[in-house]
Amino acid sequence: MAPVRTKRLVASLFLTAAVVITPMAVAAPASAAGRDCTATAKALGYLVGPKVAAACGFPASQPTFSRPWVQPNDSCMTRLANAGISNWNHRFGICIQA
């Protein structure tokens, strides 16, 4: 009788751990950055449609030891140019937020 209770206890602990850990492991870390990116585009006076939203899906490169600065993703810059944002400084500022 005791081994069955132990198995149930272990199974319930694993199930509880899975329920707690799964949302943390599956969460999208870049979602807030995408909102910041599109908000910056809106603040600069651009209409945010699917092209700008897609460009904001490319995260900026994070600082490393050899490059201690954040730089925009080239794909983001190119897609914003294709979306009609011709001002390089605006594209740079928007993509840094991605």
Side-chain angles (χ1 to χ4, degrees):
M1 192 82 170
V4 173
R5 286 186 185 166
T6 304
K7 286 181 184 179
R8 285 183 184 167
L9 176 65
V10 170
S12 67
L13 289 175
F14 277 119
L15 183 61
T16 303
V19 168
V20 171
I21 292 172
T22 301
M24 289 186 276
V26 177
S31 62
R35 281 192 301 256
D36 292 342
C37 178
T38 55
T40 302
K42 283 182 185 177
L44 290 170
Y46 297 104
L47 293 175
V48 176
K51 290 181 181 180
V52 173
C56 287
F58 293 96
S61 65
Q62 296 301 312
T64 60
F65 181 76
S66 61
R67 290 186 177 174
W69 57 85
V70 176
Q71 67 186 65
N73 190 307
D74 291 335
S75 297
C76 177
M77 295 286 283
T78 302
R79 287 182 184 236
L80 287 179
N82 293 339
I85 300 176
S86 59
N87 187 322
W88 187 89
N89 290 323
H90 287 182
R91 289 193 319 252
F92 185 88
I94 293 167
C95 289
I96 284 295
Q97 297 298 319

